[in-house]
Every structure is written in C-alpha cells, then in structure tokens.
Amino acid sequence: MRRLPIYILINTSSSHCNGTLQNFKDSINLLIETLKEDPYALETVYVSLITFDSTITRLCALSPVTSFKMPSIKIGKQESSLGHTFLQLTTIIDNELIKTTCEQKGDWKPLVFI
C-alpha cells in the first residue's frame, strides 16, 4: 500500500516560549489521535517530527502513525534558520520517499506542517 508521509516541523528557537511549545504538542497530539481514528490513515500515514533552531534535529524518523509517540521537545537558545531547514528537509524527503516505477506505485506526495 502507498504511504502518505507527513513531516511536522517545530521551531524551537529562543523566540518561542514554553506556552507556545505546549500548544504545538497539543496540536500534534490532536492530529495523531484524529488520524488513529481513521482506518485508511492507520494503513497509509507515516509521521516524522523535526525540530529546528539554528540546526535541524530529527526527533522521530518516518514511522507509522500507529507507533508514533510524542518525544520530549526543548526550547533552543539560538535563532531559527527556516531556509536551511527546508534544504535539509528536501534531502530527507528525497532519500525516504519511495518513487513510482513500472513495477510499483510510489508514496503519495508528502505533507509538511510547520
């Protein structure tokens, strides 16, 4: 079955306070719980969680939504670099996506939430 990759990016630079971080966590948990209620999503959705400030950190590799567990997220001390994050994300997506060939259908186009 084709996968639907979802990449979630969270800005953890010092410009975000702990209240904002808790809102991010609550929103992600709501998204995951909603997806777990959909039988089709249970079979197709794969989630990856990435944080960024001046560096990009992959907290959760691309894995089925059924096995997703919210990792600990901490606020960084540096400013964010969204452009650099997009460049690294492009490389990650290129390496992970299953491409369509004559023998098989590849993954759906990935969704990226920032």
Side-chain angles (χ1 to χ4, degrees):
M1 174 153 307
R2 296 173 78 179
R3 299 183 307 174
L4 174 60
I6 297 177
Y7 294 89
I8 301 171
L9 304 177
I10 299 176
N11 183 346
T12 56
S13 66
S14 58
S15 62
H16 285 80
C17 65
N18 288 333
T20 303
L21 183 58
Q22 187 58 46
N23 289 341
F24 289 151
K25 290 179 183 179
D26 292 344
S27 299
I28 294 167
N29 283 327
L30 179 61
L31 172 66
I32 297 301
E33 291 305 315
T34 302
L35 289 169
K36 286 182 177 179
E37 293 173 0
D38 182 342
Y40 189 69
L42 290 174
E43 294 181 11
T44 60
V45 173
Y46 282 66
V47 179
S48 179
L49 183 62
I50 299 169
T51 61
F52 67 96
D53 43 43
S54 62
T55 60
I56 184 171
T57 305
R58 192 143 188 212
L59 297 180
C60 178
L62 196 61
S63 58
V65 69
T66 55
S67 64
F68 180 84
K69 302 243 187 296
M70 177 62 76
S72 174
I73 302 172
K74 297 181 181 176
I75 297 292
K77 295 182 179 178
Q78 301 167 340
E79 295 302 315
S80 64
S81 175
L82 187 58
H84 181 67
T85 301
F86 280 142
L87 290 174
Q88 288 188 350
L89 179 62
T90 301
T91 303
I92 290 170
I93 290 173
D94 285 343
N95 292 332
E96 289 183 342
L97 281 179
I98 297 171
K99 309 278 191 277
T100 299
T101 64
C102 296
E103 294 81 32
Q104 72 175 2
K105 285 191 173 187
D107 290 335
W108 297 100
K109 290 185 180 182
L111 299 175
V112 178
F113 293 98
I114 304 171

